[in-house]
Amino acid sequence: MTFDERYFNIGRLDRLSYGDSFIHRLDPRTKVIATILFLFTVVSFPKYEVVALAPFFLFPILLMTLGGISLRFIALKVLMVSPFAILIGIFNPLFDTQTVTIGFGTSISAGWISFAAILVKFTLTVSTALLLVATTSFPGVCQALRRLGCPAIFVTQLLFLYRYLFVLAEEAMRIVRARDLRCFGRQGRGVKIFARLVGTLLVRSLDRAERIYRAMLSRGFAGDIPRLGGFRLRSADLAFAAAMALFLVTFRFFPLTEEFGRFAQELWR
Amino acid sequence: MSHHIIEFRDVLFRYPDGTEALKGINFRITHGESVGIVGANGAGKSTLLLHLNGCLLPAAGTVTIGDLTLAAETRRQLRRKVGVVFQNPDDQLFMPTVFEDVAFGPLNIGLNDRQVRERVHWALGMVGCLDLWDKPPHHLSAGQKSAVAIAAVMAMEPDILAMDEPAANLDPRSRRSLIGLLKTFRHTKLIASHDLDLILDVCERCLVVRDGRVVADGPSAAILSDAPLLEENNLELPLSLHRR
Amino acid sequence: MHMADALLSPAVGITMLAGTVAVGGYASKKLKENIDDRMIPLMGVLGAFIFAAQMINFTIPATGASGHLGGGMILAILLGPHAAFLVMASVLTVQALFFADGGLLALGCNIWNLAFYPGYLLYPLLYKPLAGGGDRPGRVLVASVISVVVALQLGAFSVVLQTYLSGKSELPLGAFLLFMQPIHLAIGLVEGFITAGIIGFIRSVRPDILACAATSRPLSGDFSLRKILITFAVLAVFTGAALSWFASTHPDGLEWAIARVTGRAELPEPVGGIGVVLKDIQEKTAFLPGYGFQSAPSEAIEAEAPPAWPAVEAGTSAAGVIGAAIVLGVVGLIGFCIRLVRKRVQGATP
């Protein structure tokens, strides 16, 4: 991905997060906890379990549709970060050659099943994490973290980072464009020039930090970032949390997918 | 609000790398005056402004505001009297939302939640940005950022307002709004700017700074129509005076 | 490279998360005690800087591949280990959230791998002693390259270990190591040079920053040998615990891996008495299937011979496949309907 692409990517996700929908309006704490529990549950499935994961697609689908996030956007992002998981996972079929049956009289090596499991889990975890951000503004996530016990200094750090990453990314983009305009082919993309570019960016960043500090002092900053009151949990949040808990427990511990399949088979006969 | 007289006497300032930015600044500004500060780049305008709220301390000479003399111990008190709006709004809007940025000052003063909300509401209303309250700063346009930065400073209700190049990044309409807004402020105002038309419009008095010294001090109308003086200082006649 | 959630088991994830949270808590505490006000905007902006700098690619010499900066060492040099850890952690958190670069559960692993080693291990142990006062460019270069290379090697090794212990990947330990370590050696060399280059550049245009950075943190006095040893001990306990979980549940798997790597075919003893204790606890929690501790639920029943690993439940029945298809179909339908309704609603309201 080029610099420009990465930059506009974050921008898009950021803008989506300020949308307005039922999901957006839920308390960030609810969403953060729900997502963490979801991820944990998905990851806890044994390595050969693929079929039981199917119902879990409901969560990201719901977030996506109720939150008004485009499927294409999420799908593309998932695809973009899949190389590492695929790269590691592809060895499973190569090394795990025990054959197992998968119904309908066919059989494949166990390695393919565990590979499929990795891919499914990957899709579920990555899309859900992205949807968390897409439906909760980043400051909302930070507030949630703070109220869930994260040290204030780390939350402040996250907020400042977020605030200035767009500013600095734009500065970096300008520097990169200036470089790219003046390098023909490969020259100029080397390490030495990179070090100088980054050095320049660093000095500008430090100057900026100094100016921000001055502005903070000018408005009375004395060491602590002050805060106003926070969110309140509503009944929608409690309902969401309860539904989530029920869903996770049910589908983790009961092989319902198989039941549906058997039911369908009975109907067929 | 009684006497908020600003007085600089023989103020000297040297940056850590040795540059002598101020070589003896002298002036006196009384309550309610609107003063423009003009001069070439590097003349010392911004450095001067940074002394107003104690971001910088003079190496020699005195800065007196009201009955407080600027020193390390009095800096904090001074900052409640003097609000400084810096050149780059991005550097001044560092909180996640506009509301929190404008609330930063009042919260630091020690007001309670209800008072803070009132101040924020008032300040944002004054600059016409009430509907932006929950937006993150990086979603705002340059004009909006400038306006919110001003609101953030005004929310502290300072007696004196100092601004460094307030119209630098604004489009003509935003600039016009800003000028209109500044004209409604009854505070003492110090505005450093290259925008001589703005100074002419908003400030009755003008200081010309060159090489760290005040070389001219008088009514804006007089100073800003003195072509030779302006050219000596890398400036020109304001555009609105060009037609004469 | 960053760990993904899909390759992680809850056991490994939680262990690393615990370690990271512990270090993070320690760093926060230390910063609160020692902090200079101006650190707050500085940390934030430097975090944004690292983030932005990582978005710029460069070509790695002699390979033509493109790489990007890590940044842990530069942060440690500029800010000291505590602030550097938090800043790096924040960068990784934002990356995980916005770029899906590394999973959310895997954040514990990623922060440990990329933020702990440079700041808390390599900076005090290797960089500072080697670089001395930092005024000789040659020494800075050597110090940079060595510390960054070692930091990245440790990080890469940790990723391999975490993946292996999670048990979701079949990649043999040896092969994985052979893949990861050399790549990170190359990246480390380049990043070491870049780090030295940046520090040199700063020194020439803004030496005051480095002087400030070097003196404002009471690092040398603070960071006693004892603390370093404690850190190593903690690390060892974590790894030891994790290894013994594995050893007691996948004896065949570990044996096989070790056989491949070392040519021996012996099962190593569980680490001291820990392994026995852990096996005990594990048996008591045997009702939790698949939480990364076991491969088959029947482990609890001692009478049965331990099932061959991998377990026979890898296969599934036709019912399972049909069921999956039905479920996915239903889920898709629900999604489709919701979208339709939303469009209708949004179309209706002006």
Side-chain angles (χ1 to χ4, degrees):
Chain A
M1 243 207 295
T2 67
F3 188 94
D4 283 14
E5 284 168 359
R6 282 203 193 98
Y7 178 66
F8 289 116
N9 235 297
I10 318 179
R12 177 142 182 220
L13 190 55
D14 177 57
R15 256 182 298 278
L16 280 173
S17 71
Y18 284 92
D20 188 25
S21 75
F22 169 69
I23 302 283
H24 283 91
R25 274 173 258 139
L26 285 173
D27 189 303
R29 285 172 292 177
T30 318
K31 286 182 276 190
V32 168
I33 296 183
T35 306
I36 303 277
L37 288 176
F38 178 83
L39 294 177
F40 192 81
T41 310
V42 166
V43 161
S44 74
F45 276 96
K47 83 187 211 188
Y48 291 108
E49 194 60 75
V50 178
V51 153
L53 286 168
F56 284 82
F57 277 96
L58 188 61
F59 187 52
I61 293 279
L62 276 180
L63 286 180
M64 215 182 328
T65 49
L66 289 175
I69 316 287
S70 110
L71 173 65
R72 204 180 120 92
F73 177 66
I74 299 288
L76 278 175
K77 289 206 89 175
V78 171
L79 225 58
M80 247 174 346
V81 289
S82 48
F84 183 60
I86 294 183
L87 188 63
I88 303 297
I90 198 74
F91 288 95
N92 285 20
L94 296 178
F95 283 101
D96 187 359
T97 47
Q98 268 206 8
T99 43
V100 283
T101 53
I102 52 167
F104 305 108
T106 52
S107 61
I108 54 177
S109 71
W112 284 110
I113 299 194
S114 61
F115 181 47
I118 290 181
L119 289 180
V120 170
K121 284 180 192 165
F122 182 79
T123 310
L124 283 173
T125 53
V126 172
S127 59
T128 307
L130 281 173
L131 284 164
L132 170 66
V133 184
T135 56
T136 315
S137 71
F138 186 78
V141 173
C142 292
Q143 268 268 31
L145 287 176
R146 196 176 60 87
R147 302 183 105 217
L148 292 172
C150 207
I153 196 171
F154 185 63
V155 176
T156 306
Q157 168 62 17
L158 283 172
L159 286 170
F160 263 90
L161 204 183
Y162 168 74
R163 167 68 185 98
Y164 285 103
L165 86 86
F166 298 95
V167 177
L168 260 81
E170 249 171 72
E171 273 205 56
M173 190 152 64
R174 265 175 258 140
I175 299 181
V176 167
R177 274 206 198 126
R179 170 190 80 174
D180 289 349
L181 282 174
R182 282 184 282 178
C183 74
F184 303 98
R186 286 272 199 79
Q187 294 172 330
R189 286 187 155 266
V191 174
K192 247 198 184 145
I193 310 243
F194 174 80
R196 294 238 177 84
L197 290 184
V198 174
T200 309
L201 188 63
L202 179 57
V203 174
R204 286 198 205 164
S205 308
L206 294 166
D207 286 337
R208 180 178 292 275
E210 189 61 42
R211 293 194 304 267
I212 296 170
Y213 181 57
R214 259 187 215 151
M216 291 171 80
L217 285 179
S218 304
R219 303 217 304 268
F221 179 58
D224 281 311
I225 308 271
R227 298 243 161 249
L228 275 174
F231 314 96
R232 236 160 270 139
L233 289 174
R234 308 170 306 156
S235 46
D237 293 293
L238 297 173
F240 185 83
M244 190 72 193
L246 195 64
F247 176 82
L248 289 178
V249 170
T250 310
F251 286 103
R252 175 67 180 86
F253 293 112
F254 300 98
L256 287 183
T257 321
E258 282 215 39
E259 295 301 321
F260 293 147
R262 247 172 248 147
F263 187 66
Q265 281 179 323
E266 295 300 315
L267 282 182
W268 187 256
R269 291 210 190 104
Chain B
M1 286 187 220
S2 53
H3 50 268
H4 290 114
I5 301 183
I6 306 175
E7 185 156 14
F8 272 54
R9 253 198 228 144
D10 295 319
V11 171
L12 276 152
F13 182 80
R14 196 177 290 118
Y15 277 107
D17 64 353
T19 331
E20 270 200 333
L22 298 181
K23 297 180 185 157
I25 297 278
N26 282 289
F27 63 80
R28 190 167 192 276
I29 298 178
T30 51
H31 175 56
E33 279 196 85
S34 260
V35 181
I37 305 178
V38 305
N41 280 340
K45 305 191 296 294
S46 301
T47 313
L48 194 162
L49 278 186
L50 285 172
H51 279 81
L52 279 169
N53 72 347
C55 286
L56 296 177
L57 292 173
T62 51
V63 175
T64 324
I65 300 182
D67 39 12
L68 281 175
T69 309
L70 174 60
E73 313 81 52
T74 53
R75 277 201 277 212
R76 232 162 242 179
Q77 283 168 281
L78 267 176
R79 280 170 194 155
R80 296 184 59 156
K81 285 192 182 192
V82 184
V84 179
V85 181
F86 297 96
Q87 198 165 346
N88 188 337
D90 265 321
D91 299 337
Q92 299 167 81
L93 302 179
F94 41 77
M95 297 296 279
T97 59
V98 162
F99 185 91
E100 288 172 84
D101 261 311
V102 181
F104 186 77
L107 279 171
N108 278 324
I109 301 180
L111 301 177
N112 67 41
D113 277 17
R114 192 186 49 85
Q115 289 168 314
V116 168
R117 274 180 231 276
E118 281 169 7
R119 285 276 183 102
V120 173
H121 193 91
W122 167 76
L124 283 176
M126 187 182 40
V127 301
C129 291
L130 262 178
D131 53 333
L132 300 175
W133 72 274
D134 60 346
K135 296 229 181 306
H138 61 272
H139 283 182
L140 302 177
S141 71
Q144 289 169 328
K145 281 187 212 173
S146 284
V148 173
I150 295 176
V153 171
M154 297 303 288
M156 295 180 71
E157 290 192 346
D159 305 312
I160 300 163
L161 184 63
M163 304 176 86
D164 196 350
E165 298 290 354
N169 292 323
L170 301 185
D171 63 28
R173 180 196 282 195
S174 310
R175 178 182 167 279
R176 192 43 60 189
S177 304
L178 175 68
I179 292 179
L181 184 64
L182 290 176
K183 280 167 137 170
T184 64
F185 288 172
R186 295 275 139 255
H187 310 67
T188 311
K189 297 190 280 286
L190 277 103
I191 304 181
S193 183
H194 284 307
D195 187 340
L196 300 181
D197 287 275
L198 183 149
I199 306 259
L200 200 55
D201 241 345
V202 178
C203 308
E204 329 110 5
R205 181 175 156 197
C206 188
L207 298 175
V208 181
V209 178
R210 181 167 75 212
D211 267 339
R213 288 195 184 82
V214 177
V215 297
D217 183 352
S220 315
I223 295 203
L224 294 177
S225 49
D226 184 344
L229 172 65
L230 292 175
E231 271 166 29
E232 263 176 10
N233 288 281
N234 291 14
L235 301 170
E236 282 185 344
L237 285 178
L239 291 171
S240 52
L241 295 183
H242 269 189
R243 270 167 243 124
R244 294 200 194 151
Chain C
M1 302 205 194
H2 297 166
M3 269 297 279
D5 279 346
L7 295 170
L8 195 67
S9 80
V12 175
I14 292 190
T15 310
M16 296 315 302
L17 210 58
T20 301
V21 166
V23 177
Y26 172 70
S28 301
K29 201 170 72 91
K30 277 306 211 196
L31 270 183
K32 266 181 73 174
E33 292 167 13
N34 253 338
I35 199 168
D36 182 357
D37 279 358
R38 55 172 27 102
M39 279 288 248
I40 293 187
L42 184 61
M43 282 167 61
V45 174
L46 283 182
F49 158 74
I50 293 286
F51 197 95
Q54 287 187 348
M55 293 205 281
I56 309 176
N57 278 347
F58 54 82
T59 40
I60 302 180
T63 59
S66 86
H68 67 78
L69 192 68
M73 195 54 72
I74 299 184
L75 285 175
I77 298 172
L78 289 174
L79 294 172
H82 311 300
F85 182 83
L86 288 183
V87 173
M88 202 62 203
S90 66
V91 172
L92 291 165
T93 306
V94 176
Q95 278 179 339
L97 287 171
F98 276 94
F99 283 138
D101 227 346
L104 288 186
L105 291 185
L107 257 184
C109 300
N110 288 322
I111 294 179
W112 182 271
N113 300 345
L114 293 166
F116 176 76
Y117 295 121
Y120 280 111
L121 232 53
L122 279 314
Y123 176 71
L125 291 183
L126 271 184
Y127 183 83
K128 277 207 96 177
L130 285 177
D135 46 349
R136 303 235 301 273
R139 280 187 78 170
V140 170
L141 181 62
V142 169
S144 273
V145 173
I146 294 184
S147 14
V148 172
V149 164
V150 176
L152 258 64
Q153 289 296 294
L154 283 173
F157 181 67
S158 304
V159 172
V160 173
L161 208 62
Q162 285 148 5
T163 310
Y164 185 63
L165 289 174
S166 292
K168 302 285 166 71
S169 157
E170 295 294 330
L171 201 54
L173 189 60
F176 202 1
L177 281 173
L178 212 62
F179 170 59
M180 291 285 271
Q181 306 299 126
I183 290 187
H184 286 83
L185 184 64
I187 298 180
L189 281 169
V190 176
E191 181 166 338
F193 270 91
I194 292 178
T195 305
I198 295 177
I199 298 296
F201 179 71
I202 303 282
R203 182 166 290 283
S204 63
V205 298
R206 289 282 299 273
D208 50 304
I209 296 171
L210 288 175
C212 211
T215 55
S216 70
R217 297 162 280 107
L219 178 64
S220 1
D222 204 39
F223 225 82
S224 66
L225 188 59
R226 199 165 55 91
K227 291 204 171 114
I228 298 169
L229 290 177
I230 292 179
T231 314
F232 267 116
V234 168
L235 246 178
V237 169
F238 275 132
T239 342
L243 272 173
S244 34
W245 277 112
F246 197 91
S248 55
T249 59
H250 305 277
D252 304 307
L254 190 54
E255 177 185 8
W256 172 76
I258 291 181
R260 280 186 76 105
V261 171
T262 63
R264 286 184 299 128
E266 276 160 15
L267 182 65
E269 294 291 317
V271 177
I274 304 177
V276 177
V277 173
L278 288 173
K279 192 155 198 261
D280 229 61
I281 301 176
Q282 198 198 326
E283 272 152 37
K284 297 214 173 70
T285 59
F287 66 94
L288 288 170
Y291 274 82
F293 303 162
Q294 333 182 58
S295 60
S298 50
E299 289 274 314
I301 308 164
E302 288 281 294
E304 267 181 34
W309 179 81
V312 287
E313 13 248 282
T316 181
S317 61
V321 177
I322 296 176
I326 295 177
V327 168
L328 286 173
V330 169
V331 168
L333 201 63
I334 293 177
F336 187 66
C337 291
I338 295 180
R339 264 220 208 285
L340 257 170
V341 170
R342 276 189 112 242
K343 279 212 186 98
R344 218 38 84 69
V345 168
Q346 278 172 356
T349 52

